[in-house]
Amino acid sequence: MKKNTSVIFALLVNISLLFSQQPDKPSSSEIFHNLQKLNFLGSAMYIAAHPDDENTRIISFLSNDINARTAYLSMTRGDGGQNLVGPEIRELLGVIRTQELIAARKTDGGQQYFTRANDFGYSKHPDETLEIWNKKDVLSDVVLNIRRFQPDIIINRFNHRNPGSTHGHHTASAMLSFEAFDLVGDANKYPESAKKYGTWQPKRLLFNTSWWFYGSKEKFKNADKRNLMEIETGNYYSNMGLSNGEIAALSRSMHKSQGFGNTGSRGSQTEYLEFLKGDFPVNKANLFDGINTTWSRIEGGKEIGLILYDLEKNFNFKEPSFMIPKLLEAYELILNLPQEHWKIIKLKEIKKLIADCLGLYIEAVADQQNAVRNGEVKITIEAINRSNTDIELGSINSTFISFPTTLKPYKLEKNKKTVIESVAGTFNYKNYSAPYWLNEKGTIGMYQVSDKNNIGLPEKTMNFPITFQLTINGKKLTYKKNLVYKYNDPVKGEVYQPFDVLPEATVSIQEKVIIFSDNNAKQIPVTVRAGKDNLNGSVKLESPNGWLISPESQMFSIAKNGDDETLIFSVTPPNNQSEGKLIPVLTVGNQSHQKELFTIDYDYIPLQQVLLNAEAKIVHISIEKKGENIGYIKGAGDAIPESLEQIGYQVTSINPSEITSDYLNRFDAIVVGIRAFNTVPALAFKQPELNSYVENGGTLLLQYNTSHRLVTKEFSPYQLTLSKDRVTDEFSEVTLLAPDHQVLNYPNKITSSDFENWVQERGLYFPNKWGKEFTPILGMSDTGSEQTKGSLLVAPYGKGYYIYTGISFFRELPAGVSGAYRLFANLLSIGK
């Protein structure tokens, strides 16, 4: 029992360290597990649409029970969702969710891949999804990933046969996988990836089904299961001290931005896989039935297997380094294999195993976290051999920095640290550090990636590789380590972070959307951040025609790297309604800079420094409003209060515990944030006070909630039933159902033009039943769907008005959509 407890502790510690760039320090049990994986020559790929779609029980089962190479191919990076850990959305949220998936795979033992598809939000039908994604390119990426990974089996998360019945992204991912299965073996289909990786034909395609896909547990119980494979995924792994369900839960819990913390499960658990294509297994209990997963699978592999299977059978948990002579013998045999695919994979695995058995520790650490191109960086190498094996450190090579040319082979004596420093003034690196898929401007549905070598990869893992030539017991081996940065925190201790190369200067405008509701000028702060000491230059603002900027240009001077200076520009809108981009341009010497630096810093993922184009949207709206003081009850989180303040409202955040009739009467209108009746328990008891406020002449505007997990069903004075109705097409036609109603006429005349240039969607979770007291204001629908009328409902109650809306104001106002502001102002002005 003592042994298992220590293994649990070691696993959990390693999981926490994996997210901080620290070198792996595996225990004997982990080394043994990696030897088992080295001895399994089979691969599986799980395919779905988003981060969080993957079944971590199956991925962990494949990786830790079967010991297969296992990958999750996610079509998107989850950019279109919401963020429960911070304010990041869109591209920055995609960066967070990418890192969460990498962390999840490090936890459950899988590998992570993507396509270039962009998560543009909810889609009702795969036809719409594949049109926006560009089916040809996404299918090309699916084919590329399969050919590169060469899975023996592919497992779809979703059903390819029910288009229109669920999220279009989900169905599309299954349809693409189903089609790619027949393409990957044909060299004439997507010949570029065929030439690079060769063709490949998986053995079988499966669908990870469950009772949910059958409609009920009863229907599934009575279904014909002859085409289904049943696998037990609840096994306990004594060498890890964890059950498969516990590992899966730890992996699932990495999706923190979606609030998917998961409690580990113990005990038996069955997963069902429906056979779709390929060879039907004779033994349905074995996913790899009919597939040779031993070393004899490849030419020249039998002799390797004789060595490595014996090591596994007689593994020395007390001193794994005793295996080194045999591992080196197997390494030489693998090095001479003719089969490139498995040769590359197994060389990487056995080299890591050799290093782990030696207790070999090599790291390259920079003396600063960020550098500029051709800046001053000192790199310190630490190398130590913690075994009795003879090891010599020969040359150290890098394309971006030099080490002493007089370097002689260092004999790494047992447990004696060797430290080597780089040659001063030699740092030379051309590219900036940034998520590669954000380097170029893409489309709504696709990221643009010019470097074909990066397509599909979760990130570039070796931005700053340093190569070490070692001689181990007379055998030459090469290892690569990526440059990192580390420092000592007085609370956390040793902290590792990525090392990045950034521009010498970055610039930002804090407000990303600036609304001008009148003709008056606004003072716009522009902040310049120094990436090096003694930074001097100038900054100007580019704007659309008709906008006036004063002064035309300003100088800045910043003494210290990391410091910033804020300059104030006066921006005056034209007389007419207008919108466009405000772009700050820095000039330092003869170089121009237009990038903003975003830092994403959460303890559970590595620090992310992201460079995006510096800009702000400026909008001059012709808008009238009545009332000034708005009370806001926060829900799941949005930027509506800040947006309202931009057009002159005074917004006060209301603590639900403070809600009384007297307190509410000070406000001209009260707005309730998105999903507040799902996420704020105190609101279960406050509807009487809210109703009283309306009855006495107030205006109450509720934004969307979901019918699932309402804190109370009594959130309306009249009958109101929520549904899953939504309109995902932001360009869909909007019908004015009540053209004479005051919310469409006062104080702003709302027309069809006010519904132009909306973003991501029209709205979601509209009511589908309501009392006769409500007036439906707008009708809208997606292509091929019936018109919904519940997006905006208004009802008089006493002297005031109760309004319920599923319109996505929480997306439209922060995006600076003029018509959304005008309509929202009318809602707040009703009755005034």
Side-chain angles (χ1 to χ4, degrees), residues 394-496:
S395 62
I396 304 174
N397 300 307
S398 166
T399 59
F400 60 87
I401 200 159
S402 298
F403 291 90
T405 55
T406 57
L407 184 68
K408 295 180 179 180
Y410 281 85
K411 183 176 177 59
L412 299 184
E413 297 182 10
K414 183 179 180 180
N415 221 27
K416 290 187 177 180
K417 182 169 65 175
T418 296
V419 177
I420 302 166
E421 291 185 354
S422 62
V423 177
T426 60
F427 185 77
N428 179 20
Y429 195 80
K430 295 181 179 179
N431 300 321
Y432 296 134
S433 306
Y436 72 84
W437 64 94
L438 298 178
N439 285 338
E440 303 168 67
K441 185 174 179 58
T443 65
I444 293 175
M446 294 291 292
Y447 283 117
Q448 176 69 29
V449 180
S450 294
D451 187 345
K452 300 294 179 65
N453 293 318
N454 289 332
I455 292 177
L457 299 179
E459 62 178 348
K460 290 182 67 176
T461 55
M462 282 282 182
N463 282 316
F464 309 98
I466 298 175
T467 303
F468 298 86
Q469 299 289 343
L470 297 176
T471 303
I472 303 173
N473 272 3
K475 303 287 186 183
K476 293 187 181 300
L477 282 82
T478 299
Y479 286 88
K480 285 188 177 182
K481 295 290 181 179
N482 198 44
L483 179 63
V484 297
Y485 168 71
K486 72 175 180 180
Y487 64 95
N488 185 73
D489 182 273
V491 176
K492 299 176 182 178
E494 188 177 52
V495 176
Y496 281 74

Side-chain angles (χ1 to χ4, degrees), residues 394-685:
S395 62
I396 304 174
N397 300 307
S398 166
T399 59
F400 60 87
I401 200 159
S402 298
F403 291 90
T405 55
T406 57
L407 184 68
K408 295 180 179 180
Y410 281 85
K411 183 176 177 59
L412 299 184
E413 297 182 10
K414 183 179 180 180
N415 221 27
K416 290 187 177 180
K417 182 169 65 175
T418 296
V419 177
I420 302 166
E421 291 185 354
S422 62
V423 177
T426 60
F427 185 77
N428 179 20
Y429 195 80
K430 295 181 179 179
N431 300 321
Y432 296 134
S433 306
Y436 72 84
W437 64 94
L438 298 178
N439 285 338
E440 303 168 67
K441 185 174 179 58
T443 65
I444 293 175
M446 294 291 292
Y447 283 117
Q448 176 69 29
V449 180
S450 294
D451 187 345
K452 300 294 179 65
N453 293 318
N454 289 332
I455 292 177
L457 299 179
E459 62 178 348
K460 290 182 67 176
T461 55
M462 282 282 182
N463 282 316
F464 309 98
I466 298 175
T467 303
F468 298 86
Q469 299 289 343
L470 297 176
T471 303
I472 303 173
N473 272 3
K475 303 287 186 183
K476 293 187 181 300
L477 282 82
T478 299
Y479 286 88
K480 285 188 177 182
K481 295 290 181 179
N482 198 44
L483 179 63
V484 297
Y485 168 71
K486 72 175 180 180
Y487 64 95
N488 185 73
D489 182 273
V491 176
K492 299 176 182 178
E494 188 177 52
V495 176
Y496 281 74
Q497 295 286 13
F499 170 80
D500 290 316
V501 173
L502 301 173
E504 60 184 347
T506 53
V507 61
S508 64
I509 300 174
Q510 182 175 358
E511 295 293 338
K512 302 309 176 194
V513 177
I514 305 170
I515 305 298
F516 293 77
S517 58
D518 52 36
N519 294 331
N520 296 328
K522 286 193 174 186
Q523 304 304 299
I524 307 300
V526 177
T527 300
V528 180
R529 180 188 181 278
K532 66 176 186 179
D533 292 342
N534 301 316
L535 183 74
N536 299 286
S538 64
V539 60
K540 65 178 181 178
L541 291 179
E542 295 180 352
S543 62
N545 290 334
W547 293 73
L548 299 178
I549 309 295
S550 178
E552 183 177 332
S553 177
Q554 296 191 59
M555 304 297 294
F556 62 85
S557 180
I558 306 174
K560 290 291 186 180
N561 178 15
D563 286 351
D564 57 53
E565 181 177 339
T566 298
L567 309 171
I568 306 297
F569 287 84
S570 177
V571 178
T572 306
N575 292 327
N576 58 305
Q577 187 162 314
S578 173
E579 65 179 63
K581 291 181 178 180
L582 196 62
I583 301 174
V585 180
L586 295 180
T587 301
V588 178
N590 59 359
Q591 295 291 318
S592 292
H593 301 279
Q594 291 179 266
K595 294 293 185 180
E596 178 175 0
L597 176 63
F598 294 87
T599 300
I600 302 173
D601 190 7
Y602 297 105
D603 284 344
Y604 68 100
I605 58 175
L607 179 81
Q608 300 295 301
Q609 299 191 96
V610 184
L611 295 170
L612 298 177
N613 290 333
E615 59 186 33
K617 183 177 181 180
I618 47 177
V619 184
H620 183 211
I621 303 175
S622 174
I623 188 170
E624 299 288 338
K625 57 186 178 64
K626 300 297 180 182
E628 297 293 335
N629 297 314
I630 307 299
Y632 201 88
I633 302 172
K634 292 182 179 179
D638 57 57
I640 295 288
E642 295 86 348
S643 299
L644 295 179
E645 287 172 346
Q646 287 225 45
I647 58 173
Y649 285 108
Q650 296 178 14
V651 183
T652 302
S653 179
I654 298 176
N655 185 330
S657 63
E658 299 174 344
I659 293 178
T660 64
S661 296
D662 289 341
Y663 179 77
L664 297 181
N665 286 336
R666 71 184 68 183
F667 299 110
D668 297 312
I670 294 172
V671 180
V672 182
I674 61 173
R675 294 175 57 204
F677 279 89
N678 297 123
T679 60
V680 183
L683 288 180
F685 313 103

Side-chain angles (χ1 to χ4, degrees), residues 577 579 617 730-732 752-762 811-813 815-820:
Q577 187 162 314
E579 65 179 63
K617 183 177 181 180
E730 65 268 37
F731 307 110
S732 62
S752 58
S753 64
D754 287 298
F755 297 95
E756 296 174 357
N757 301 317
W758 284 47
V759 299
Q760 191 157 332
E761 62 192 353
R762 291 294 189 195
R811 297 194 194 279
E812 311 310 322
L813 298 192
V817 177
S818 301

Side-chain angles (χ1 to χ4, degrees), residues 601-801:
D601 190 7
Y602 297 105
D603 284 344
Y604 68 100
I605 58 175
L607 179 81
Q608 300 295 301
Q609 299 191 96
V610 184
L611 295 170
L612 298 177
N613 290 333
E615 59 186 33
K617 183 177 181 180
I618 47 177
V619 184
H620 183 211
I621 303 175
S622 174
I623 188 170
E624 299 288 338
K625 57 186 178 64
K626 300 297 180 182
E628 297 293 335
N629 297 314
I630 307 299
Y632 201 88
I633 302 172
K634 292 182 179 179
D638 57 57
I640 295 288
E642 295 86 348
S643 299
L644 295 179
E645 287 172 346
Q646 287 225 45
I647 58 173
Y649 285 108
Q650 296 178 14
V651 183
T652 302
S653 179
I654 298 176
N655 185 330
S657 63
E658 299 174 344
I659 293 178
T660 64
S661 296
D662 289 341
Y663 179 77
L664 297 181
N665 286 336
R666 71 184 68 183
F667 299 110
D668 297 312
I670 294 172
V671 180
V672 182
I674 61 173
R675 294 175 57 204
F677 279 89
N678 297 123
T679 60
V680 183
L683 288 180
F685 313 103
K686 296 299 181 179
Q687 194 60 39
E689 286 83 358
L690 293 171
N691 288 345
S692 176
Y693 163 77
V694 177
E695 193 171 20
N696 291 328
T699 298
L700 177 65
L701 193 163
L702 267 70
Q703 298 180 85
Y704 93 90
N705 292 271
T706 69
S707 59
H708 184 58
R709 293 180 179 173
L710 285 164
V711 297
T712 176
K713 294 183 179 180
E714 305 300 324
F715 57 86
S716 167
Y718 305 119
Q719 178 198 356
L720 191 64
T721 303
L722 303 181
S723 75
K724 294 184 178 181
D725 288 352
R726 62 198 303 163
V727 175
T728 62
D729 182 1
E730 65 268 37
F731 307 110
S732 62
E733 183 180 353
V734 176
T735 302
L736 306 182
L737 300 176
D740 297 328
H741 198 284
Q742 57 179 312
V743 297
L744 295 179
N745 292 278
Y746 181 81
N748 304 288
K749 178 68 175 179
I750 303 299
T751 68
S752 58
S753 64
D754 287 298
F755 297 95
E756 296 174 357
N757 301 317
W758 284 47
V759 299
Q760 191 157 332
E761 62 192 353
R762 291 294 189 195
L764 64 170
Y765 298 108
F766 301 155
N768 61 357
K769 294 180 182 178
W770 50 83
K772 57 181 174 47
E773 296 86 356
F774 283 105
T775 299
I777 305 299
L778 304 173
M780 57 185 72
S781 66
D782 286 314
T783 302
S785 301
E786 293 184 5
Q787 187 183 70
T788 62
K789 299 181 179 181
S791 63
L792 179 57
L793 302 172
V794 181
Y797 183 72
K799 300 177 182 178
Y801 289 88

